[in-house]
Amino acid sequence: MHTTVIHTLPAPGVALEPLEVFYQDVVRGLTATPKYLDSKYFYDAAGDKLFQQIMQCREYYPTDCEMEIMTEQAAQIAQAIAGQTTSFDLVELGPGDATKSIHLLEQLLHTGLDFTYYPIDISTNVINTLEKTLPEKLPALQIQGLNGEYFEMVQRVAEMSNRPKVLLFMGANIGNFTPIMARKFCRQLRSCMQPGDLLMVGFDLKKHPKIILNAYNDEAGITSAFNLNLLTRINRELQADFNTDMFEHYPVYDPMTGACKSYLVSLEDQDVHLCNDVTIHFQQHEPIYMEISQKYSLEETTQMALQTGFQPLTCFTDTKGWFADCMWKV
């Protein structure tokens, strides 16, 4: 194993700060034992495009399952919210293009509830797009997008308005954390909320292991391309020399713990260089840990609510019972 020193990128200036952070994170991950990369860096322009393709894959079921819940049960979800509050701020963490939440927004407007929609996303592009497209589709919608980190922006909404909050964290994004980290995340959210506030979380549920594994190992190889694209991004932005043909996508699923993990495995002994000042050595068959997609049982979602300061109210599941949007109350 090569010893390495973490240097900073030579050129100073504000514009380089995110690149500098990316560099530090990559070097930290690849010099750790075992090696890992931070999954938040998957999403450059090519990564975004590949992820959209993954969601269209025949094997990738979570999108269709949650879409079914949102289209078929929006009225019941709106009713559950109305049973708790009729005037509130609807805050969505990571809304994407809002193709799912638009059904709920439409239903809330139809029900006559008084609310303002605050989508929060780290991507300026996402927020700008929503602020442009949603009012065109839903002219009655009051919307204010917030660009930034989740917790900072949730706090900002709390400062802007003292109305009750309904938070949405859908799309099984909670599965990007290990269960320990997921509980920490929920407790942190809870600390930003007031008694009576609501939280709806999307959970991908445990099911036949083959169905889960196939979703992360599609026949067309798009998930593999998505993972390998991060190496291509590192090559492009950090002047590295990964040979992507020398790494192979390898997903595993443990039905006992519900952990579905993705790795990139080095196919030979090799050295990779970054920015001309760091050398990373890979042994043949050595893995890089890329991401987790945690699956839960309904009982485990209830336990998580109770352990993190919430009262579980109800879960909305698709007809197959593969996915659940669970509503909790502070």
Side-chain angles (χ1 to χ4, degrees), residues 52 92-99 101 117 119-121 126-127 129-130:
Q52 293 302 319
E92 182 167 13
L93 310 180
D97 56 7
T99 46
S101 41
Y117 176 52
I120 296 175
D121 205 280
V126 164
I127 296 302
T129 304
L130 291 178

Side-chain angles (χ1 to χ4, degrees), residues 221-289:
I222 300 166
T223 311
S224 172
F226 177 67
N227 276 261
L228 289 165
N229 178 64
L230 180 45
L231 304 188
T232 305
R233 180 182 182 181
I234 292 168
N235 283 351
R236 183 179 66 251
E237 295 183 23
L238 303 180
Q239 294 86 57
D241 57 1
F242 275 103
N243 179 350
T244 56
D245 292 338
M246 289 295 108
F247 289 86
E248 193 173 277
H249 168 64
Y250 179 69
V252 292
Y253 175 61
D254 179 349
M256 299 293 280
T257 63
C260 187
K261 296 180 179 180
S262 291
Y263 300 89
L264 288 177
V265 178
S266 175
L267 299 180
E268 59 177 38
D269 277 340
Q270 55 184 314
D271 287 337
V272 173
H273 309 92
L274 279 87
C275 281
N276 302 316
D277 64 356
V278 173
T279 301
I280 310 290
H281 180 68
F282 289 89
Q283 293 177 348
Q284 187 177 22
H285 311 315
E286 186 179 3
I288 311 172
Y289 171 57

Side-chain angles (χ1 to χ4, degrees), residues 64-139:
D64 289 345
C65 291
E66 193 172 34
M67 185 59 94
E68 183 203 303
I69 294 168
M70 286 296 133
T71 52
E72 303 295 322
Q73 300 181 63
Q76 291 93 310
I77 297 170
Q79 210 173 351
I81 294 171
Q84 302 291 328
T85 177
T86 54
S87 173
F88 56 92
D89 297 318
L90 184 71
V91 182
E92 182 167 13
L93 310 180
D97 56 7
T99 46
K100 287 181 285 200
S101 41
I102 193 169
H103 299 285
L104 179 58
L105 294 171
E106 204 168 17
Q107 189 62 49
L108 292 169
L109 290 170
H110 178 71
T111 311
L113 300 178
D114 172 29
F115 72 98
T116 301
Y117 176 52
Y118 293 94
I120 296 175
D121 205 280
I122 196 82
S123 162
T124 318
N125 182 43
V126 164
I127 296 302
N128 291 344
T129 304
L130 291 178
E131 287 191 322
K132 182 179 181 296
T133 57
L134 283 178
E136 290 168 2
K137 294 171 185 169
L138 304 171

Side-chain angles (χ1 to χ4, degrees), residues 150-165:
Y150 290 162
F151 296 112
E152 283 174 37
M153 295 302 115
V154 169
Q155 293 283 23
R156 185 175 294 180
V157 177
E159 289 159 15
M160 288 160 58
S161 153
N162 58 8
R163 294 206 292 185
K165 304 290 181 270

Side-chain angles (χ1 to χ4, degrees), residues 17 36-37 146 159 176 183 201 215 225 230 244 274 295 301:
E17 280 182 9
Y36 68 90
L37 285 170
L146 294 168
E159 289 159 15
N176 296 335
R183 286 193 289 275
V201 188
L230 180 45
T244 56
L274 279 87
K295 312 306 173 190
T301 71

